[in-house]
Amino acid sequence: QVRLVESGGGSVQAGGSLRLSCVASRETKSVLYTGWFRQAPGKEREGVAAIYREGETTNYSDSVKGRFTISRDSAKSTTYLQMNDLKPEDSGIYYCAAYYNEGWFRGPFFTSSYDYWGQGTQVTVSS
C-alpha cells in the first residue's frame, strides 16, 4: 500500500501562484507515473498534469499548459505542481495519483490508470 498526502492548497486571487506537494509513503523511484487531477463541484475529475519517472516525459492539459509545471524529487518522495497565473476556473480539489505498474495504464489523464490516490487539497481562486 502507498499513502499519498497532498498539501499547499489555499485561497488566492486571480493571477496568483500556489505550489502543491504530494508526499508518498513509499519511495518514488519505482513510480512510473504521477498525476495531478482536479475536481470542481458538479464536474468530473480531470487530469491537469502528469510526469513519467523523473521527468522524462511530462503531460499537461490544454487548460493549464504554460502556467503549471509538474516536477518530482525522488529523494523526498515528493511530486510538486507549481501553478502560476491562476484563474477562477482553476478552483477545485486537487488530487495526486501514482502508478506503480500494478495494473493496466490507459493513459496519464485517465483516473482508472492510477493505483493510488491522495485525499486532495482545496484550491480556490477568486476574481
Side-chain angles (χ1 to χ4, degrees):
Q1 275 292 341
V2 177
R3 183 167 177 250
L4 303 175
V5 179
E6 303 96 334
S7 63
S11 297
V12 296
Q13 290 192 326
S17 298
L18 287 171
R19 188 175 81 155
L20 306 183
S21 300
C22 172
V23 180
S25 62
R26 182 168 132 189
E27 57 84 19
T28 59
K29 287 185 178 180
S30 57
V31 171
L32 294 182
Y33 266 99
T34 304
W36 282 99
F37 289 74
R38 68 186 181 194
Q39 189 166 19
K43 295 188 176 180
E44 291 189 357
R45 193 170 297 189
E46 62 170 346
V48 297
I51 186 168
Y52 177 69
R53 293 191 184 274
E54 300 301 313
E56 295 167 30
T57 301
T58 55
N59 304 90
Y60 298 95
S61 67
D62 289 342
S63 61
V64 307
K65 199 172 294 182
R67 300 187 297 121
F68 290 12
T69 303
I70 189 170
S71 60
R72 180 185 293 165
D73 185 340
S74 292
K76 297 181 179 180
S77 298
T78 302
T79 302
Y80 302 97
L81 185 68
Q82 177 66 44
M83 305 187 297
N84 298 328
D85 190 24
L86 283 161
K87 303 176 181 181
E89 52 264 41
D90 293 319
S91 297
I93 300 175
Y94 281 69
Y95 301 90
C96 70
Y99 172 67
Y100 281 85
N101 195 25
E102 297 179 7
W104 178 52
F105 192 76
R106 187 179 175 189
F109 290 155
F110 289 91
T111 56
S112 61
S113 294
Y114 293 88
D115 306 313
Y116 302 99
W117 290 83
Q119 293 300 306
T121 184
Q122 177 72 48
V123 171
T124 303
V125 185
S126 57
S127 57

